[in-house]
C-alpha cells in the first residue's frame, strides 16, 4: 500500500525554502513536518503546531544532537480530526505515505520489508507535556514476516521476538482496546505472560527464551482475536493509520481530560503525533535506556540526576517495572563510561540552548547515544526557586524566563507544613521508622493509609487526610493522587509515574520504598515485621524518603518560620533566600499593586511580610464576633427604637475604634480600604430557642420578643436581601458609628506620627443615589470628627462594584465614587444568577461536562463577569479619568484572574495574606505578557 501512495514526494511538500522562513504558525494547511539530518522543517518555537515533543525533537536535530529521524503530524490535523467526526482530514493518508518514503530514504530501510524493515514509534505530543496521559506505540512495522528479518539482521532473535511481543501488547491495548475491565483485574497481556512464566517456571521477563517468546506471541494474537473478533493487522501502513487514529483518540480519553482540567489546558489544543524511526535500548547488554534531568527536580541541586536501565526499552523506566540505576553509576560502568561522557556534554548543551532545566529521554543502542525527547523539567516549588535563583546567577536562564516559567499556584507548596521536630524525633526514637524510599516530593504528609484511588477520594471527600500507597501508580490513579496528602509506592524510581506526578502536583511523595510489601487483596502494608491496614495512620517524609507507622504532628514551613513566626532568621534559611530572590525579581516586572484582605492587625502584619502594599478589603463585620461585642451587636439589631439602637452602637464604638487603630498602626502609612457593614443582620442573631432565651435574659427582654424579632429578620433570599448599603440607608446610625470609629482611630494614629490613608467603601451599590446617600453621611461624620480632634485626615470614599447594575451605570456612580473595588464574589453570583453556597450540588457536574471551564468562584469568568468589569472600567474612567481601580474578591489571588485584571488596567489586586506570593508572581507574569 505504501508504495502506491506518496507519488508527490514529501521533499517537495516540505521544500527547504518553506522551512526556515516559516512563521511560528507554519504554512496554512501543511499537515506534516519532517525532522532529519538533511531536512528539518520545524523548530523549538513551533510548540502550538508541532506539540512540545515534536518542536523539541526538531530543535535538538537542528543543534546537532543525535535524534532518530521522523516526522510530526500537526495539532491542527488533530483538531480537524475531531471537527470531522473523528475522521482523518482529506489527503492525510497520502501525505503520511509520502513522508514514510522520505524516512525510508534517510534510514535506508523499508516499511514491511522482510529483510530490512523500517520500524517506527508513534508518539503523542501536546503543546504542554502531559506525561503518560496519552498513548505511545513502539516497534510499529513488525509483523510475522519482518520479525524474522529483524532477527536475522541483528543476529539476535530473542530481541526481535521480544520487540514483536511488546508491539502486539501495546497495539492490542491502545489501538484494539484489549485492556483490563475493572480496577482489580490484571492487565490481560500481563496475565497471559504470568501464566506462561508460571508454566515455564521462570521469574523475570528476561528469562523468556526466543522459543517461549514465540509461544507468548501466539497467545497474545489469540487473546486479541478472542477479545475483539479481529486479527492483528499485518500490513504496516494499516498499523500506522490505526495508531494515528488512536493517538488522536487518546486526546479525549478520561485520563487526558482529567489531567487537562487539573492543569487548565484547553481541550481545543489537540495533540500532535510524532512518527519516529526506532532505536533499540534492548538489543543486548551494550544497550540501555534512561531518563535524566539536568538538575535535581525535587531539590533543585545542580547535579546530574536520572536513571537508566540496561537492555531495556524506554517505557520500562517510566513504568517502574524494574528499578533502574542512578545515571551517575554509568560513569563507573566500563560498558557505558563513554556514553556517560557524551551525556554530560548533552546536559550542558541542553541547558545552554534551552535556557532551563531539561528533562530528557535517551536510549543507547550498541553504545551509541540517541536523544528521544527533551522538555523543560517539571519541578517542585522548592526546586523552582532554587533553580531559578541559581541559573539566573549562572546566566544560563534569563530573568524573564525565571518569572514566566513559574507556576504561581505551586508557590503555596513552600508554605506547606513540615514535621514538628519533637514529634518527628519521638517517632524515630520510638522505632516507628519503617523504611526509607526515594525522596520524590518534598514535605510532610500524615494521614490514613489507603490502597486504592477510589478509597482515597471517598475518604478525602469526607474530610479525612489520606496517604495513598500503591505498588506503583499509573495514570488511572490520578484522582486518588489528587485527593491524597501524600503518595507512597513500593516500586519505581525517581522518574516513575508516581514521582513525576507528585512533583508536578506538589504532593508529598516517597517512591520505590522497596522494603514495603503491599497486598491489595488483604488490604495490608507489611514492612520490617509490622503490618498496617487500610485506615491506619501512616506518615511519610517526602524530603528524606522516610516512612513511619502512625501519625506525626506537622509544623510550619521554613518560610513561615522566617516570615510569620519569626522563629528563624532569614540568613539561616536557604529556602527563604531563594524565595526572596524570586519575589524581588517579580517586583521588578510587576505593574499591578498588591493589597490584602485582612481584618486584624496580625493579618496585616503577615500580609506585609508577604509583600502587601495596603489593605484592599477590611470586613468590619468580622470584628463583631469577638468576645462580648456580639452581645452589643445583638442588642443593636433587636432594638425597636433608634434610641435603643444608638445606645447599643455606643457600646460598639470603642471596640471598632480600637480595631481600626490597630490596623492603621500595623499598616504604617499604607492605605486601607474599609468596607461598611455588609451582611444581612440575621447572620448575627441566634436561631436556636436556647440561645435566644439566653440572649433575652441578657437583654432583659422576653424570649418571645426575641423570637419574634429574629423571625422578622428572616429572608427568603438573604444574598439579595436587606444587606450592603441597604442597611446603612435603613439604619444610618450604624454607618455613622462605623465612620466615626474609623476617623477617631485615624486621628489618634495620625497624631502619634504614623500616616493614615483610609478609603471608605460602600458595599452593594446599584444606584448612584444609594452611594450619594451614604457618602453624604461619611463626609458629615468625617468633618465632625476632624473638627473635634483637630486632625485633618486625607481619605477617599468609593464603592464596591459587585452587582451588574453598578457596573452598567458606573459612569453615574463614578460622579460620586473616588474608587471602585470589584467585589467579584458577589459580582459572579449576581452576574451568573448562581449562589456560590448552593453551587456545590451542580457545579462539579458542570465542570465535568465542560459547561464551565473552571469554578467561576475560584477563577474569574472572564467572558461574562469580565465583561461587566470592562464596562465598569471604561465608564468609570470616562467620568473620572484617574479613578482608582482594584479587585478584592477571592479571584485576586488566582493567577488567571490576576492576568485578566492586569490586562484590564486595574491599579491593584487584593487577596488573603497567604495567597500574596502567588498573586505577586502572577502579576509579574502578566506584565511579561502571560496569557492563558
Ligand atoms: P510519553 O508521552 O509518555 O513521554 P513517549 O512518546 O516519550 O511517551 O514514548 C514513551 C517511551 O518510548 C519513551 O520512554 C521513549 O524513550 C520510548 N520511545 C519513543 N520513541 C522511540 C523510538 N523511536 N525509539 C526508541 N524508543 C522510543
Ligand atoms: Mg516521553
Ligand atoms: Mg460582597
Amino acid at each position: 500500500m505504501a508504495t502506491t501512495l506518496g507519488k508527490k514526494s514529501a521533499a517537495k511538500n516540505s521544500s527547504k525554502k518553506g522551512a526556515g522562513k516559516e512563521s511560528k504558525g507554519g504554512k496554512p494547511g501543511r499537515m506534516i513536518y519532517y525532522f532529519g539530518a538533511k531536512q528539518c522543517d520545524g523548530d523549538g518555537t513551533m510548540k502550538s503546531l508541532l506539540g512540545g515533543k515534536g518542536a523539541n525533537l526538531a530543535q535538538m536535530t537542528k543543534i546537532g544532537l543525535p535524534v532518530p529521524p521522523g516526522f510530526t503530524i500537526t495539532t491542527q490535523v488533530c483538531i480537524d480530526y475531531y471537527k470531522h467526526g473523528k475522521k482523518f482530514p482529506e489527503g492525510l493518508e497520502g501525505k503520511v505515505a509520502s513522508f514514510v518514503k522520505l524516512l525510508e530514504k534517510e534510514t535506508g530501510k523499508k516499511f514491511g520489508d522482510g529483510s530490512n524493515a523500517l520500524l517506527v514509534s508513534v508518539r503523542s505530543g501536546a503543546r504542554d507535556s502531559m506525561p503518560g496521559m496519552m498513548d505511545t506505540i513502539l516497534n510499529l512495522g513488525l509483523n510475522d514476516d519482518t520479525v524474522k528479518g529483524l532477527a536475522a539482521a541483528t543476529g539476535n532473535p530473542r530481541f526481535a521476538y521480544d520487540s514483536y511481543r511488546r508491539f502486539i501488547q501495546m497495539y492490542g491495548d491502545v489501538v484494539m482496546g484489549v485492556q483490563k475491565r475493572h480496577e482489580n483485574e490484571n492487565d490481560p497481556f500481563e496475565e497471559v505472560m504470568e501464566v506462561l512464566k508460571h508454566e515455564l517456571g521462570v521469574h523475570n521477563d528476561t528469562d523468556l527464551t526466543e522459543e517461549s517468546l514465540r509461544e507468548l506471541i501466539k497467545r497474545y494474537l489469540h487473546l486479541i482475536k478472542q477479545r475483539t473478533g479481529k486479527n492483528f493487522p499485518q500490513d504496516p501502513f494499516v498499523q500506522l493509520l490505526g495508531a494515528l487514529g488512536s493517538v488522536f483518540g487518546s486526546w479525549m480519553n478520561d485520563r487526558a481530560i482529567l489531567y487537562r482540567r487539573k492543569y487548565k489546558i484547553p481541550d481545543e489544543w489537540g495533540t500532535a503525533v510524532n512518527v519516529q524511526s526506532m532505536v533499540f535500548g534492548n538489543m543486548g547488554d551494550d544497550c540501555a535506556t534512561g531518563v535524566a534531568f539536568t538538575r535535581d527536580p525535587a531539590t533543585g541541586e545542580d547535579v546530574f540526576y536520572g536513571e537508566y536501565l540496561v537492555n531495556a526499552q524506554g517505557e520500562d523506566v517510566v513504568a517502574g517495572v524494574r528499578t533502574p540505576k542512578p545515571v551517575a553509576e554509568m560513569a563507573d560502568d566500563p560498558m557505558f563510561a563513554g556514553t556517560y561522557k557524551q551525556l554530560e556534554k548533552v546536559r550542558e548543551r541542553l541547558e545552554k540552548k534551552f535556557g532551563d532545566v531539561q528533562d530528557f529521554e535517551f536510549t543507547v543502542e550498541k553504545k551509541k547515544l540517541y536523544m528521544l525527547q527533551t522538555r523543560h523539567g517539571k519541578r517542585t516549588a522548592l526546586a523552582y526557586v532554587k533553580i531559578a535563583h541559581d541559573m539566573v546567577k549562572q546566566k544560563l536562564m534569563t530573568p524573564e524566563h525565571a518569572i514566566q516559567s513559574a507556576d504561581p499556584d505551586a508557590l503555596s507548596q513552600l508554605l506547606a507544613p513540615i514535621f514538628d521536630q519533637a514529634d518527628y524525633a519521638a517517632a524515630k526514637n520510638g522505632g516507628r521508622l519503617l523504611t526509607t524510599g526515594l525522596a520524590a516530593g518534598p514535605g510532610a504528609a500524615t494521614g490514613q493509609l489507603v490502597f486504592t484511588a477510589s478509597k482515597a477520594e471517598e475518604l478525602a471527600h469526607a474530610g479525612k487526610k489520606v496517604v495513598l500507597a500503591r505498588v506503583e501508580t499509573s495514570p488511572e490513579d490520578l484522582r486518588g493522587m489528587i485527593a491524597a496528602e501524600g503518595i507512597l509506592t513500593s516500586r519505581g524510581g525517581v522518574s516513575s509515574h508516581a514521582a513525576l506526578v507528585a512533583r508536578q502536583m506538589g504532593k508529598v511523595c516517597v517512591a520505590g520504598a522497596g522494603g514495603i510489601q503491599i497486598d491489595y487483596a488483604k488490604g495490608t502494608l507489611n514492612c520490617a515485621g509490622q503490618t498496617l491496614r487500610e485506615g491506619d495512620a501512616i506518615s511519610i517524609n517526602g524530603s528524606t524518603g522516610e516512612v513511619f507507622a502512625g501519625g506525626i504532628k506537622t509544623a510550619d514551613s521554613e518560610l513561615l518560620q522566617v516570615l510569620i513566626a519569626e522563629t528563624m532568621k532569614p540568613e539561616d534559611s536557604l529556602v527563604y533566600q531563594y524565595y526572596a530572590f524570586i519575589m524581588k525579581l517579580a517586583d521588578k516586572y510587576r505593574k499591578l499593586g498588591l493589597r490584602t484582605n485582612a481584618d486584624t492587625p496580625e493579618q496585616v502584619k503577615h500580609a506585609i511580610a508577604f509583600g502587601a502594599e495596603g489593605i484592599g478589603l477590611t470586613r468590619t463585620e468580622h470584628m463583631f464576633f469577638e468576645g462580648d461585642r456580639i452581645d452589643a451587636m445583638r442588642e443593636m439589631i433587636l432594638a425597636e427604637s433608634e434610641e435603643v439602637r444608638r445606645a447599643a452602637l455606643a457600646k460598639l464604638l470603642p471596640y471598632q475604634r480600637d480595631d481600626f487603630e490597630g490596623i492603621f498602626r500595623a499598616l504604617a502609612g499604607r492605605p486601607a480600604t474599609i468596607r461598611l457593614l455588609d451582611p444581612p443582620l440575621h447572620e448575627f442573631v441566634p436561631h436556636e430557642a436556647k440561645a435566644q432565651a439566653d440572649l433575652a435574659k441578657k437583654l432583659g427582654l422576653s424570649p418571645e420578643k426575641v423570637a419574634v424579632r429574629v423571625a422578622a429578620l428572616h429572608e427568603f433570599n438573604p444574598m439579595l436581601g436587606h444587606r450592603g448599603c441597604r442597611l446603612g440607608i435603613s439604619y444610618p446610625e450604624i454607618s455613622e458609628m462605623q465612620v466615626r470609629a474609623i476617623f477617631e482611630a485615624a486621628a489618634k494614629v495620625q497624631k502619634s506620627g504614623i500616616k493614615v490613608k483610609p478609603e471608605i467603601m460602600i458595599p452593594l451599590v446599584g444606584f448612584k443615589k444609594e452611594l450619594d446617600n451614604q457618602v453624604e453621611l461619611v463626609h458629615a461624620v468625617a468633618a465632625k470628627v476632624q473638627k473635634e480632634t483637630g486632625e485633618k485626615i486625607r481619605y477617599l470614599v468609593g464603592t464596591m462594584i459587585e452587582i451588574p447594575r453598578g457596573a452598567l451605570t458606573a459612569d453615574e456612580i463614578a460622579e460620586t465614587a473616588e474608587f471602585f473595588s470589584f467585589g467579584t464574589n458577589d459580582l459572579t453570583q449576581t452576574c451568573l444568577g448562581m449562589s456560590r453556597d448552593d453551587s456545590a450540588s451542580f457545579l462539579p457536574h458542570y465542570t465535568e461536562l465542560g459547561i464551565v471551564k473552571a469554578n467561576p468562584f475560584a477563577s474569574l469568568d472572564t467572558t461574562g463577569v469580565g465583561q461587566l468589569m470592562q464596562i465598569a472600567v471604561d465608564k468609570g474612567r470616562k467620568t473620572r479619568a484617574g479613578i482608582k481601580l482594584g479587585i478584592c474578591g477571592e479571584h485576586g489571588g488566582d493567577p488567571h484572574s490576576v492576568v485578566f485584571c492586569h490586562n484590564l488596567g486595574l491599579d491593584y489586586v487584593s487577596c488573603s495574606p497567604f495567597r500574596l506570593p502567588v498573586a505577586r508572581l502572577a502579576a509579574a507574569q502578566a506584565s511579561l505578557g502571560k496569557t492563558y
Side-chain angles (χ1 to χ4, degrees):
M1 198 198 272
T3 41
T4 54
L5 292 164
K7 258 259 145 164
K8 277 187 218 142
S9 95
K12 214 195 238 159
N13 288 333
S14 49
S15 63
K16 274 155 226 148
K17 61 175 185 304
K21 281 184 229 142
E22 254 160 19
S23 67
K24 286 184 188 179
K27 200 154 92 188
R30 176 169 179 173
M31 294 191 277
I32 307 184
Y33 288 70
Y34 191 78
F35 54 90
K38 292 221 185 75
Q39 181 185 330
C40 186
D41 303 332
D43 64 50
T45 64
M46 298 169 71
K47 291 202 173 63
S48 53
L49 193 65
L50 303 181
K53 199 178 285 169
N56 282 350
L57 282 170
Q59 188 64 42
M60 285 198 291
T61 306
K62 279 224 151 107
I63 63 172
L65 292 175
V67 176
F71 55 85
T72 305
I73 303 173
T74 67
T75 51
Q76 187 58 47
V77 174
C78 177
I79 295 164
D80 292 343
Y81 172 83
Y82 280 104
K83 248 191 228 148
H84 296 134
K86 301 202 190 175
K87 286 203 189 65
F88 293 140
E90 213 181 292
L92 180 72
E93 296 183 19
K95 284 263 156 55
V96 169
S98 62
F99 274 84
V100 166
K101 280 262 156 310
L102 201 59
L103 194 54
E104 288 178 340
K105 205 162 148 210
E106 176 158 356
T107 57
K109 296 176 177 176
K110 256 193 154 49
F111 234 7
D113 188 318
S115 60
N116 186 23
L118 170 68
L119 302 182
V120 296
S121 62
V122 177
R123 324 171 60 189
S124 64
R127 202 187 293 191
D128 272 1
S129 80
M130 298 169 52
M133 283 301 121
M134 292 182 294
D135 302 313
T136 292
I137 294 161
L138 303 179
N139 303 328
L140 188 140
L142 280 174
N143 57 26
D144 294 347
D145 193 27
T146 55
V147 68
K148 290 182 199 144
L150 185 65
T154 58
N156 189 342
R158 197 200 165 274
F159 152 75
Y161 286 97
D162 189 47
S163 301
Y164 189 27
R165 77 94 191 152
R166 284 167 187 266
F167 172 50
I168 297 169
Q169 185 167 347
M170 273 192 220
Y171 199 90
D173 170 358
V174 169
V175 183
M176 305 187 77
V178 180
Q179 293 159 355
K180 62 178 178 179
R181 288 163 290 198
H182 49 81
E183 200 172 3
N184 292 322
E185 194 176 72
N186 290 322
D187 176 88
F189 291 101
E190 292 295 337
E191 185 101 32
V192 169
M193 167 140 45
E194 283 309 313
V195 168
L196 181 68
K197 281 202 285 199
H198 189 78
E199 283 173 24
L200 298 169
V202 300
H203 289 293
N204 296 318
D205 299 9
T206 41
D207 295 335
L208 293 169
T209 61
E210 176 201 340
E211 203 192 323
S212 26
L213 284 169
R214 282 191 208 225
E215 175 57 29
L216 185 59
I217 286 165
K218 226 193 267 162
R219 293 188 189 185
Y220 274 3
L221 294 177
H222 180 71
L223 170 73
I224 289 176
K225 178 84 192 189
Q226 197 187 26
R227 282 275 191 100
T228 67
K230 288 187 207 139
N231 284 318
F232 178 79
Q234 292 286 322
D235 181 332
F237 202 72
V238 173
Q239 292 174 351
L240 181 57
L241 294 181
L244 294 182
S246 100
V247 172
F248 286 149
S250 69
W251 176 252
M252 282 296 173
N253 71 27
D254 292 349
R255 273 180 1 221
I257 291 173
L258 180 71
Y259 184 93
R260 288 200 293 275
R261 291 280 134 73
K262 168 110 182 121
Y263 292 100
K264 301 200 173 93
I265 296 173
D267 287 347
E268 296 82 58
W269 280 3
T271 179
V273 186
N274 301 288
V275 177
Q276 185 177 29
S277 49
M278 285 298 300
V279 289
F280 296 97
N282 55 339
M283 263 192 197
D285 289 336
D286 54 354
C287 302
T289 188
V291 181
F293 284 82
T294 56
R295 298 181 190 220
D296 187 327
T299 64
E301 289 304 316
D302 187 2
V303 293
F304 196 15
Y305 182 90
E307 48 201 17
Y308 73 110
L309 268 178
V310 176
N311 198 6
Q313 224 166 28
E315 295 278 86
D316 302 344
V317 183
V318 185
V321 179
R322 275 155 60 195
T323 299
K325 292 198 258 188
V327 113
E329 283 181 21
M330 261 191 162
D332 309 320
D333 185 336
M335 188 71 87
F336 296 114
T339 316
Y340 185 76
K341 282 212 183 89
Q342 267 178 288
L343 274 173
E344 290 245 272
K345 281 209 193 89
V346 165
R347 176 188 175 212
E348 240 184 81
R349 225 175 135 69
L350 284 176
E351 281 201 346
K352 208 175 234 156
K353 285 282 173 188
F354 288 85
D356 199 346
V357 164
Q358 295 297 295
D359 161 5
F360 65 96
E361 295 177 358
F362 63 93
T363 282
V364 184
E365 178 180 314
K366 298 197 176 295
K367 294 193 183 182
K368 182 165 169 23
L369 175 69
Y370 291 96
M371 297 293 290
L372 290 176
Q373 185 175 336
T374 191
R375 60 188 169 210
H376 292 337
K378 303 252 157 116
R379 62 207 78 174
T380 62
L382 172 62
Y384 160 70
V385 288
K386 169 150 178 67
I387 288 169
H389 168 269
D390 292 355
M391 285 186 81
V392 168
K393 292 218 154 159
Q394 292 167 326
K395 297 216 174 340
L396 285 169
M397 184 189 280
T398 63
E400 289 83 2
H401 180 80
I403 296 299
Q404 278 164 325
S405 62
D407 172 4
D409 268 327
L411 267 194
S412 39
Q413 281 174 42
L414 294 180
L415 307 176
I418 54 182
F419 282 135
D420 171 81
Q421 281 308 318
D423 214 32
Y424 182 41
K428 272 191 192 170
N429 297 334
R432 281 163 52 201
L433 177 63
L434 293 176
T435 184
T436 302
L438 293 163
T446 182
Q448 280 178 271
L449 177 63
V450 295
F451 297 106
T452 62
S454 41
K455 192 78 193 174
E457 268 199 307
E458 183 195 317
L459 289 183
H461 205 73
K464 300 268 171 10
K465 293 190 166 176
V466 300
V467 172
L468 175 66
R470 301 280 301 167
V471 174
E472 59 202 302
T473 62
S474 72
E476 287 104 297
D477 296 321
L478 200 59
R479 282 172 190 275
M481 297 169 85
I482 293 172
E485 299 294 306
I487 300 154
L488 169 65
T489 66
S490 59
R491 204 151 65 186
V494 288
S495 35
S496 65
H497 178 263
L500 213 77
V501 173
R503 211 145 48 222
Q504 195 172 359
M505 299 199 303
K507 288 278 167 183
V508 176
C509 177
V510 173
I516 279 174
Q517 288 95 40
I518 294 173
D519 188 327
Y520 293 135
K522 287 200 196 126
T524 57
L525 179 153
N526 281 296
C527 189
Q530 296 193 53
T531 301
L532 299 188
R533 296 178 189 288
E534 187 171 278
D536 286 353
I538 186 167
S539 303
I540 58 176
N541 185 344
S543 313
T544 59
E546 293 159 315
V547 182
F548 294 89
I552 300 178
K553 264 195 251 153
T554 51
D556 278 354
S557 69
E558 268 187 34
L559 213 53
L560 292 190
Q561 292 187 39
V562 173
L563 286 172
I564 305 297
E566 295 177 16
T567 47
M568 198 169 184
K569 290 206 192 87
E571 57 269 29
D572 293 335
S573 169
L574 282 173
V575 182
Y576 169 76
Q577 289 164 34
Y578 301 141
Y579 159 85
F581 176 85
I582 296 299
M583 287 296 125
K584 212 169 137 201
L585 199 56
D587 288 347
K588 208 173 111 189
Y589 298 105
R590 175 169 63 87
K591 295 202 184 78
L592 271 172
L594 204 60
R595 293 200 187 186
T596 189
N597 300 348
D599 306 329
T600 65
E602 183 167 49
Q603 286 172 7
V604 172
K605 202 175 133 230
H606 295 172
I608 290 170
F610 281 127
E613 297 154 340
I615 289 183
L617 175 62
T618 287
R619 299 174 175 94
T620 47
E621 61 270 13
H622 285 189
M623 304 167 178
F624 292 135
F625 284 98
E626 265 171 56
D628 30 303
R629 301 170 181 200
I630 191 67
D631 291 342
M633 184 68 186
R634 287 170 171 168
E635 188 180 344
M636 188 277 287
I637 292 169
L638 298 180
E640 280 180 322
S641 69
E642 191 187 319
E643 205 190 329
V644 180
R645 199 159 31 245
R646 282 195 183 274
L649 283 165
K651 290 188 203 163
L652 283 170
L653 177 68
Y655 291 128
Q656 284 250 286
R657 191 175 47 220
D658 287 354
D659 291 335
F660 293 130
E661 189 186 332
I663 286 174
F664 285 133
R665 288 193 192 281
L667 278 169
R670 297 174 182 84
T673 305
I674 301 167
R675 179 180 70 183
L676 301 188
L677 190 65
D678 180 52
L681 297 180
H682 79 91
E683 284 190 14
F684 298 95
V685 293
H687 294 273
E688 281 128 46
K690 164 94 176 63
Q692 288 183 358
D694 288 352
L695 181 63
K697 207 160 155 200
K698 266 191 199 163
L699 301 182
L701 295 169
S702 74
E704 291 74 33
K705 206 155 212 169
V706 171
V708 167
R709 187 75 184 110
V710 169
L713 289 172
H714 171 79
E715 289 179 312
F716 289 102
N717 212 334
M719 183 193 111
L720 303 175
H722 200 171
R723 54 169 291 218
C725 65
R726 297 161 198 174
L727 287 172
I729 291 169
S730 304
Y731 309 109
E733 54 278 13
I734 300 179
S735 298
E736 275 170 29
M737 181 281 286
Q738 293 203 295
V739 175
R740 173 167 283 276
I742 294 167
F743 280 90
E744 288 184 357
K748 193 168 169 201
V749 173
Q750 185 168 284
K751 211 170 249 171
S752 74
I754 297 171
K755 271 201 189 132
V756 289
K757 290 184 186 162
E759 300 175 352
I760 318 294
M761 180 156 74
I762 313 300
L764 215 74
V765 166
F767 297 86
K768 173 178 182 285
K769 289 210 163 132
E770 289 176 310
L771 183 63
D772 291 347
N773 175 301
Q774 291 290 289
V775 168
E776 203 185 298
L777 179 154
V778 172
H779 287 322
V781 175
K784 229 189 263 172
V785 177
Q786 294 187 70
K787 205 162 157 217
E788 287 163 18
T789 58
E791 284 293 315
K792 170 120 195 62
I793 311 280
R794 292 175 61 98
Y795 67 97
L796 299 177
V797 192
T799 184
M800 219 152 156
I801 297 290
E802 55 184 336
I803 52 180
R805 197 182 193 283
L808 295 172
T809 59
D811 46 351
E812 293 173 15
I813 290 174
E815 285 169 16
T816 311
E818 293 169 297
F819 66 86
F820 288 166
S821 174
F822 289 98
T824 46
N825 299 340
D826 274 323
L827 193 58
T828 300
Q829 299 201 91
T830 50
C831 174
L832 274 59
M834 191 184 276
S835 150
R836 179 186 57 190
D837 300 338
D838 297 314
S839 63
S841 54
F842 57 89
L843 207 50
H845 192 216
Y846 270 35
T847 319
E848 238 157 66
L849 292 175
I851 293 175
V852 295
K853 277 200 181 130
N855 178 347
F857 298 108
S859 195
L860 204 65
D861 162 37
T862 52
T863 38
V865 178
Q867 230 179 105
L868 285 174
M869 294 171 74
Q870 182 72 61
I871 290 170
V873 166
D874 292 346
K875 290 197 163 186
R877 284 211 177 112
K878 218 158 143 203
T879 303
R880 192 185 288 267
I883 190 166
K884 193 181 239 178
L885 301 168
I887 176 176
C888 62
E890 265 154 62
H891 301 96
D894 165 64
H896 290 232
S897 314
V898 169
V899 168
F900 181 78
C901 291
H902 171 93
N903 294 334
L904 210 54
L906 299 193
D907 295 299
Y908 66 85
V909 293
S910 185
C911 60
S912 69
F914 287 72
R915 289 300 289 179
L916 283 165
V918 176
R920 205 166 163 187
L921 198 49
Q925 290 186 326
S927 303
L928 289 169
K930 174 105 180 172
T931 53
Y932 281 100

